[in-house]
Amino acid sequence: MREIISSERYITILEQFVSIQLALEDRPRIEWFMQDGARPHCTEKVFRFLDEYFGYRVIALDYPKFTSTGMDWPPHSPDLTPCDYFLWGALKDTAYGNHPSMLDELESAICVACNSISVETLKDVTSNFILRLRHLIFSNGEHFENIVFRLQRLLDFFLDCLQRTSFSAYSAIC
């Protein structure tokens, strides 16, 4: 059964997440919870739940207004999380590659797309996430993506070209 995500349904999802975290944890609660500003995420009930489990360790739109703790969702940074800047685009590109026409076909294509993501890719995405957080801190939460990540893509392209050239030259010699 498919459901629209209401704040009540979102709290149920959060409760499941938290219960798994509690069952797996063998260390103090040090993680931070981050969510965007989707309507179901920004209700008093959700904020109360987050405050109970995470306290000040929450990054969410309007959370500090409700709790006087935590951090507000960074302005102009919608692509801060790996799901936003990597996963959704990668899944979309792969899942829609065969042009599924039925919902079951789309669900199957999404599962295949998820399973096709390599561990190496996930490591790269994690490294990029850390880089994004550093840039966000350096820019005091201001918009940084256009400049920094265009330069990063240019650098990656340049390094890739160098590797190809070196490899081609090496192959020609051998």
Short mmCIF file of all heavy atoms in Angstrom, two decimals, residues 14-44:
data_model
loop_
_atom_site.label_atom_id
_atom_site.label_comp_id
_atom_site.label_asym_id
_atom_site.label_seq_id
_atom_site.Cartn_x
_atom_site.Cartn_y
_atom_site.Cartn_z
N LEU A 14 10.62 7.71 11.61
CA LEU A 14 11.67 8.12 12.55
C LEU A 14 11.76 7.16 13.74
O LEU A 14 12.87 6.83 14.18
CB LEU A 14 11.43 9.55 13.04
CG LEU A 14 11.64 10.67 12.04
CD1 LEU A 14 11.20 12.01 12.64
CD2 LEU A 14 13.08 10.74 11.58
N GLU A 15 10.63 6.73 14.25
CA GLU A 15 10.64 5.79 15.38
C GLU A 15 11.33 4.49 15.00
O GLU A 15 12.10 3.94 15.78
CB GLU A 15 9.21 5.52 15.86
CG GLU A 15 8.61 6.68 16.62
CD GLU A 15 7.12 6.51 16.89
OE1 GLU A 15 6.45 5.67 16.22
OE2 GLU A 15 6.60 7.25 17.76
N GLN A 16 11.07 4.00 13.80
CA GLN A 16 11.74 2.79 13.32
C GLN A 16 13.24 3.02 13.20
O GLN A 16 14.05 2.19 13.63
CB GLN A 16 11.16 2.34 11.98
CG GLN A 16 9.74 1.85 12.07
CD GLN A 16 9.10 1.67 10.70
OE1 GLN A 16 9.62 2.09 9.68
NE2 GLN A 16 7.94 1.03 10.70
N PHE A 17 13.62 4.16 12.65
CA PHE A 17 15.03 4.49 12.50
C PHE A 17 15.72 4.56 13.87
O PHE A 17 16.78 3.97 14.08
CB PHE A 17 15.17 5.83 11.76
CG PHE A 17 16.56 6.40 11.78
CD1 PHE A 17 17.54 5.89 10.96
CD2 PHE A 17 16.88 7.46 12.64
CE1 PHE A 17 18.83 6.42 10.98
CE2 PHE A 17 18.15 8.00 12.66
CZ PHE A 17 19.12 7.46 11.83
N VAL A 18 15.10 5.25 14.80
CA VAL A 18 15.68 5.42 16.13
C VAL A 18 15.78 4.08 16.85
O VAL A 18 16.79 3.78 17.49
CB VAL A 18 14.87 6.45 16.95
CG1 VAL A 18 15.23 6.40 18.42
CG2 VAL A 18 15.10 7.85 16.39
N SER A 19 14.76 3.23 16.74
CA SER A 19 14.81 1.94 17.44
C SER A 19 15.95 1.08 16.88
O SER A 19 16.63 0.39 17.64
CB SER A 19 13.47 1.20 17.35
OG SER A 19 13.19 0.82 16.02
N ILE A 20 16.18 1.15 15.57
CA ILE A 20 17.31 0.41 14.98
C ILE A 20 18.62 0.99 15.48
O ILE A 20 19.53 0.26 15.86
CB ILE A 20 17.23 0.44 13.44
CG1 ILE A 20 16.05 -0.39 12.96
CG2 ILE A 20 18.53 -0.06 12.82
CD1 ILE A 20 15.71 -0.22 11.50
N GLN A 21 18.72 2.32 15.52
CA GLN A 21 19.94 2.96 16.02
C GLN A 21 20.23 2.56 17.45
O GLN A 21 21.37 2.26 17.81
CB GLN A 21 19.83 4.49 15.92
CG GLN A 21 19.83 5.02 14.52
CD GLN A 21 21.15 4.77 13.82
OE1 GLN A 21 21.41 3.68 13.33
NE2 GLN A 21 21.98 5.75 13.77
N LEU A 22 19.20 2.55 18.28
CA LEU A 22 19.39 2.18 19.69
C LEU A 22 19.83 0.73 19.82
O LEU A 22 20.66 0.40 20.66
CB LEU A 22 18.10 2.41 20.48
CG LEU A 22 17.74 3.87 20.74
CD1 LEU A 22 16.36 3.97 21.40
CD2 LEU A 22 18.79 4.56 21.60
N ALA A 23 19.29 -0.14 18.98
CA ALA A 23 19.65 -1.55 19.04
C ALA A 23 21.09 -1.78 18.58
O ALA A 23 21.77 -2.67 19.09
CB ALA A 23 18.69 -2.37 18.18
N LEU A 24 21.57 -0.98 17.64
CA LEU A 24 22.91 -1.17 17.08
C LEU A 24 23.99 -0.42 17.83
O LEU A 24 25.16 -0.75 17.72
CB LEU A 24 22.92 -0.70 15.62
CG LEU A 24 22.06 -1.48 14.65
CD1 LEU A 24 22.12 -0.84 13.26
CD2 LEU A 24 22.49 -2.93 14.58
N GLU A 25 23.63 0.59 18.58
CA GLU A 25 24.63 1.46 19.20
C GLU A 25 25.38 0.77 20.32
O GLU A 25 24.81 0.16 21.19
CB GLU A 25 23.95 2.72 19.77
CG GLU A 25 23.97 3.84 18.80
CD GLU A 25 23.45 5.11 19.43
OE1 GLU A 25 23.73 5.39 20.60
OE2 GLU A 25 22.75 5.83 18.71
N ASP A 26 26.69 0.93 20.28
CA ASP A 26 27.53 0.50 21.37
C ASP A 26 28.45 1.65 21.80
O ASP A 26 29.51 1.46 22.33
CB ASP A 26 28.35 -0.73 20.98
CG ASP A 26 29.25 -0.46 19.78
OD1 ASP A 26 29.11 0.60 19.15
OD2 ASP A 26 30.10 -1.32 19.48
N ARG A 27 28.01 2.86 21.51
CA ARG A 27 28.76 4.06 21.85
C ARG A 27 27.78 5.14 22.29
O ARG A 27 26.59 5.02 22.08
CB ARG A 27 29.57 4.53 20.64
CG ARG A 27 28.71 4.81 19.43
CD ARG A 27 29.54 5.24 18.26
NE ARG A 27 28.96 5.34 16.98
CZ ARG A 27 27.75 5.70 16.62
NH1 ARG A 27 26.86 5.96 17.49
NH2 ARG A 27 27.38 5.78 15.37
N PRO A 28 28.30 6.21 22.87
CA PRO A 28 27.39 7.30 23.27
C PRO A 28 26.69 7.89 22.06
O PRO A 28 27.19 7.81 20.93
CB PRO A 28 28.33 8.33 23.90
CG PRO A 28 29.67 7.73 23.96
CD PRO A 28 29.68 6.46 23.18
N ARG A 29 25.56 8.50 22.30
CA ARG A 29 24.80 9.13 21.21
C ARG A 29 25.50 10.41 20.79
O ARG A 29 25.37 11.44 21.44
CB ARG A 29 23.38 9.40 21.66
CG ARG A 29 22.60 8.13 21.84
CD ARG A 29 21.20 8.27 22.28
NE ARG A 29 20.63 9.59 22.36
CZ ARG A 29 19.42 9.83 22.85
NH1 ARG A 29 18.69 8.85 23.31
NH2 ARG A 29 18.95 11.04 22.90
N ILE A 30 26.24 10.32 19.70
CA ILE A 30 27.01 11.48 19.23
C ILE A 30 26.61 11.92 17.83
O ILE A 30 27.08 12.94 17.35
CB ILE A 30 28.53 11.19 19.26
CG1 ILE A 30 28.86 10.00 18.36
CG2 ILE A 30 29.02 10.99 20.67
CD1 ILE A 30 30.34 9.79 18.13
N GLU A 31 25.78 11.13 17.16
CA GLU A 31 25.44 11.47 15.78
C GLU A 31 24.48 12.65 15.72
O GLU A 31 23.76 12.93 16.66
CB GLU A 31 24.83 10.26 15.05
CG GLU A 31 23.48 9.83 15.57
CD GLU A 31 23.51 8.98 16.82
OE1 GLU A 31 24.54 8.41 17.15
OE2 GLU A 31 22.47 8.89 17.49
N TRP A 32 24.52 13.31 14.60
CA TRP A 32 23.61 14.42 14.32
C TRP A 32 22.57 13.93 13.34
O TRP A 32 22.84 13.09 12.49
CB TRP A 32 24.38 15.59 13.71
CG TRP A 32 25.14 16.39 14.72
CD1 TRP A 32 26.22 16.00 15.44
CD2 TRP A 32 24.86 17.73 15.11
NE1 TRP A 32 26.64 16.99 16.26
CE2 TRP A 32 25.82 18.08 16.07
CE3 TRP A 32 23.91 18.66 14.73
CZ2 TRP A 32 25.84 19.33 16.66
CZ3 TRP A 32 23.94 19.91 15.32
CH2 TRP A 32 24.91 20.24 16.28
N PHE A 33 21.38 14.47 13.43
CA PHE A 33 20.30 14.14 12.51
C PHE A 33 20.05 15.34 11.63
O PHE A 33 19.96 16.47 12.10
CB PHE A 33 19.03 13.77 13.28
CG PHE A 33 17.93 13.30 12.38
CD1 PHE A 33 17.89 11.99 11.95
CD2 PHE A 33 16.95 14.18 11.95
CE1 PHE A 33 16.88 11.56 11.10
CE2 PHE A 33 15.93 13.76 11.11
CZ PHE A 33 15.90 12.44 10.68
N MET A 34 19.96 15.11 10.32
CA MET A 34 19.77 16.21 9.38
C MET A 34 18.57 15.89 8.49
O MET A 34 18.43 14.79 7.99
CB MET A 34 21.02 16.36 8.52
CG MET A 34 20.98 17.53 7.60
SD MET A 34 22.60 17.95 6.89
CE MET A 34 22.99 16.54 5.93
N GLN A 35 17.70 16.87 8.34
CA GLN A 35 16.56 16.74 7.43
C GLN A 35 16.32 18.06 6.73
O GLN A 35 16.70 19.12 7.22
CB GLN A 35 15.31 16.29 8.19
CG GLN A 35 14.78 17.33 9.15
CD GLN A 35 13.53 16.87 9.87
OE1 GLN A 35 13.22 15.69 9.91
NE2 GLN A 35 12.80 17.81 10.44
N ASP A 36 15.67 17.97 5.57
CA ASP A 36 15.40 19.19 4.82
C ASP A 36 14.10 19.84 5.29
O ASP A 36 13.57 19.48 6.34
CB ASP A 36 15.39 18.92 3.31
CG ASP A 36 14.26 17.96 2.91
OD1 ASP A 36 13.35 17.71 3.72
OD2 ASP A 36 14.30 17.47 1.78
N GLY A 37 13.60 20.75 4.52
CA GLY A 37 12.43 21.51 4.94
C GLY A 37 11.11 21.04 4.36
O GLY A 37 10.18 21.83 4.25
N ALA A 38 11.01 19.76 4.01
CA ALA A 38 9.73 19.25 3.50
C ALA A 38 8.66 19.45 4.56
O ALA A 38 8.93 19.36 5.76
CB ALA A 38 9.86 17.77 3.15
N ARG A 39 7.44 19.75 4.13
CA ARG A 39 6.36 20.07 5.08
C ARG A 39 6.19 19.06 6.20
O ARG A 39 6.06 19.45 7.36
CB ARG A 39 5.05 20.25 4.34
CG ARG A 39 4.79 21.67 4.06
CD ARG A 39 3.39 21.91 3.56
NE ARG A 39 3.49 23.10 2.74
CZ ARG A 39 2.76 23.36 1.71
NH1 ARG A 39 1.82 22.55 1.35
NH2 ARG A 39 2.95 24.46 1.03
N PRO A 40 6.16 17.76 5.90
CA PRO A 40 5.96 16.79 6.99
C PRO A 40 7.10 16.79 8.01
O PRO A 40 6.93 16.32 9.13
CB PRO A 40 5.89 15.44 6.27
CG PRO A 40 5.57 15.76 4.87
CD PRO A 40 6.14 17.11 4.60
N HIS A 41 8.27 17.32 7.64
CA HIS A 41 9.42 17.35 8.54
C HIS A 41 9.36 18.50 9.53
O HIS A 41 10.10 18.50 10.52
CB HIS A 41 10.72 17.49 7.74
CG HIS A 41 10.97 16.38 6.78
ND1 HIS A 41 12.05 16.40 5.94
CD2 HIS A 41 10.31 15.24 6.53
CE1 HIS A 41 12.02 15.31 5.19
NE2 HIS A 41 10.98 14.59 5.53
N CYS A 42 8.55 19.50 9.26
CA CYS A 42 8.62 20.76 10.01
C CYS A 42 7.39 21.01 10.87
O CYS A 42 6.89 22.13 10.94
CB CYS A 42 8.82 21.92 9.04
SG CYS A 42 10.34 21.81 8.10
N THR A 43 6.92 19.98 11.55
CA THR A 43 5.77 20.16 12.43
C THR A 43 6.22 20.10 13.89
O THR A 43 7.30 19.58 14.20
CB THR A 43 4.71 19.06 12.19
OG1 THR A 43 5.24 17.80 12.59
CG2 THR A 43 4.28 19.03 10.73
N GLU A 44 5.39 20.61 14.75
CA GLU A 44 5.71 20.60 16.18
C GLU A 44 5.92 19.18 16.69
O GLU A 44 6.83 18.92 17.47
CB GLU A 44 4.59 21.29 16.97
CG GLU A 44 4.91 21.47 18.43
CD GLU A 44 3.83 22.24 19.16
OE1 GLU A 44 3.08 23.00 18.53
OE2 GLU A 44 3.75 22.07 20.39
#
